[in-house]
């Protein structure tokens, strides 16, 4: 079993980006600029945003953090989105999810200029991705494609089973892996909570993408010998043996699954770090106008 090392790959990607930014700036170009809007005090969201800002520093991007109280109105948040849309210095921006319940995430996502939508959540980017046109890819699927590419994992003709059908991970992943070319050309099964024989479907997989959001959901006897396992889950569970009293686990029962597979991503240190690296890749593309114009 080989670990798919998200820490190593994300550090490689960030050094490549840093070298490119240095070159651009030396030639007189503007530094890429990512802005992030963080609403409320959600502890996980604060950690995620901080790691994105830290990554910007590592690659030489300018970053701006806009913090707002949890009781901000939807109209006020839409105004901030519009200001970022209009700001010529901002190449791309994200509105950190989840948002408080009184704010409609879909309405906020729709308000983001698709040319600055470095999270790739706007329906224009989703539609372009689905049609194989240049688009901002959602960061987690983009990060997973980079794992497959950088470890030279064969995908053509493979049977990929995606577990979970979210708009952000499962659904776009199923589209990207069934597209023509590399990494792609898979035969994809998209499974979810209503799938009849989930263990039976997962057992047929050469490549498993677990994105259901249930800790240690994929069991050892669901995994075919030699399968490639991509674990998207970030779940905090109780662990009395840790001083924090908790630890992070994925959607895969790592102890039971790892001995059976050819490759597996760890949690932490796997897909999560690649998600942040992919956001940096999208921000550079936004600055260079690689997708639009
Ligand atoms: C790791 C996210 C659910 C909902 C909103 C590294 C991250 C996470 C884990 C990270 C995530 C998950 C992010 C690890 C960003 C991934 O080593 O395991 C990095 O920062 N992520 C987010 O911004 O919003 C989320 C998950």
């Amino acid at each position: 079993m080989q670990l798919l090392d998200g820490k190593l790959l994300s550090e490689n990607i960030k050094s490549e980006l840093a070298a490119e930014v240095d070159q651009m700036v030396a030639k007189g170009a503007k530094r890429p600029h990512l802005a992030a809007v963080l609403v409320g005090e959600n502890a996980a969201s604060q950690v995620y945003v901080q790691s994105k800002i830290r990554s910007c520093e590592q690659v030489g991007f300018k970053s701006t953090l806009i913090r707002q109280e949890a009781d901000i109105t939807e109209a006020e948040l839409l105004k901030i989105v519009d200001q970022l849309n209009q700001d010529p210095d901002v190449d791309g921006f994200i509105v950190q999810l989840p948002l408080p319940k009184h704010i409609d995430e879909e309405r906020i996502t729709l308000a983001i200029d698709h040319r600055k939508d470095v999270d790739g959540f706007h329906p224009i980017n989703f539609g372009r991705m689905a049609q194989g046109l240049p688009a901002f890819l959602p960061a987690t699927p983009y990060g997973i494609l980079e794992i497959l590419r950088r470890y030279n994992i064969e995908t053509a003709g493979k049977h990929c089973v995606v577990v979970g059908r979210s708009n952000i991970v499962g659904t776009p992943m199923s589209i990207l892996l069934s597209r023509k070319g590399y990494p792609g050309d898979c035969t994809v099964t998209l499974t979810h909570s209503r799938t009849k024989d989930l263990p039976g479907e997962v057992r047929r997989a050469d490549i498993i993408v677990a994105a259901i959001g249930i800790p240690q959901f994929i069991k050892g006897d669901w995994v075919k010998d030699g399968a490639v396992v991509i674990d998207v889950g970030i779940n905090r569970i109780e662990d009395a043996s840790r001083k924090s009293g908790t630890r992070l686990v994925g959607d895969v029962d790592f102890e039971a699954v790892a001995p059976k597979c050819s490759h597996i991503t760890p949690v932490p240190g796997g897909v999560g770090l690649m998600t942040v690296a992919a956001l940096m890749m999208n921000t550079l593309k936004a600055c260079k106008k690689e997708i639009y114009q």
Side-chain angles (χ1 to χ4, degrees):
M1 178 274 299
Q2 193 185 1
L3 269 189
L4 299 169
D5 187 343
K7 184 163 162 54
L8 175 74
L9 291 191
S10 63
E11 279 167 7
N12 291 346
I13 288 169
K14 286 193 272 186
S15 354
E16 292 162 17
L17 293 173
E20 193 171 344
V21 170
D22 278 350
Q23 263 193 0
M24 287 167 52
V25 172
K27 285 182 189 157
K30 122 187 212 315
R31 229 171 245 293
H33 181 185
L34 175 70
V37 183
L38 174 60
V39 179
E41 307 280 316
N42 182 302
S45 292
Q46 299 194 51
V47 172
Y48 296 149
V49 168
Q50 277 315 320
S51 88
K52 292 168 189 178
I53 302 255
R54 171 88 185 100
S55 290
C56 284
E57 286 164 14
Q58 290 171 333
V59 299
F61 294 176
K62 179 176 173 185
S63 66
T64 302
L65 173 57
I66 299 168
R67 293 201 67 151
Q68 294 293 322
E69 305 282 323
D71 63 0
I72 185 176
T73 66
E74 188 177 275
E76 287 168 328
L77 186 55
L78 285 168
K79 193 170 165 205
I80 292 170
V81 167
D82 198 50
Q83 283 164 352
L84 291 168
N85 285 341
Q86 305 296 332
D87 185 341
D89 193 60
V90 171
D91 298 296
F93 66 98
I94 64 164
V95 179
Q96 181 65 41
L97 302 183
L99 288 169
K101 285 179 296 291
H102 66 279
I103 297 176
D104 183 347
E105 288 181 355
E106 197 185 320
R107 197 168 291 148
I108 301 300
T109 302
L110 272 171
I112 297 172
D113 185 328
H114 64 278
R115 294 165 298 187
K116 295 192 178 188
D117 171 37
V118 287
D119 260 339
F121 294 165
H122 193 286
I124 289 179
N125 281 310
F126 190 98
R128 292 178 61 100
M129 172 211 61
Q131 296 193 335
L133 297 170
F136 289 113
L137 301 182
T140 300
Y142 189 12
I144 294 170
L145 294 182
E146 282 303 306
I147 294 174
L148 298 172
R149 228 192 297 270
R150 287 169 184 254
Y151 277 93
N152 287 307
I153 290 172
E154 266 186 67
T155 57
K158 302 293 183 193
H159 185 190
C160 175
V161 174
V162 177
V163 185
R165 56 179 156 184
S166 71
N167 288 335
I168 289 172
V169 184
T171 299
M173 206 62 237
S174 70
I175 293 168
L176 288 163
L177 287 172
S178 54
R179 285 199 322 196
K180 236 187 224 308
Y182 182 79
D185 288 328
C186 290
T187 304
V188 176
T189 302
L190 181 55
T191 68
H192 45 75
S193 56
R194 304 292 296 267
T195 295
K196 270 207 175 112
D197 177 16
L198 196 48
E201 295 295 341
V202 174
R203 274 186 203 109
R204 299 170 54 212
D206 304 308
I207 301 172
I208 300 166
V209 178
I212 189 101
I214 301 173
Q216 299 164 313
F217 182 68
I218 307 287
K219 308 302 180 197
D221 65 350
W222 298 17
V223 177
K224 181 164 81 179
D225 279 322
V228 174
V229 177
I230 306 292
D231 190 351
V232 182
I234 310 280
N235 309 289
R236 195 165 287 285
I237 64 164
E238 283 182 37
D239 183 346
S241 76
R242 302 291 181 97
K243 52 179 180 288
S244 64
T246 68
R247 74 181 158 113
L248 282 188
V249 297
D251 291 352
V252 174
D253 181 351
F254 186 91
E255 290 299 300
V257 168
K260 303 194 70 180
C261 52
S262 69
H263 300 78
I264 187 167
T265 60
V267 177
V271 171
L273 293 172
M274 294 300 287
T275 297
V276 179
L279 174 67
M280 300 299 122
M281 294 194 282
N282 275 342
T283 302
L284 182 59
K285 284 177 195 269
C287 177
K288 290 166 71 184
K289 312 256 182 275
E290 251 177 45
I291 311 279
Y292 299 103
Q293 257 90 252

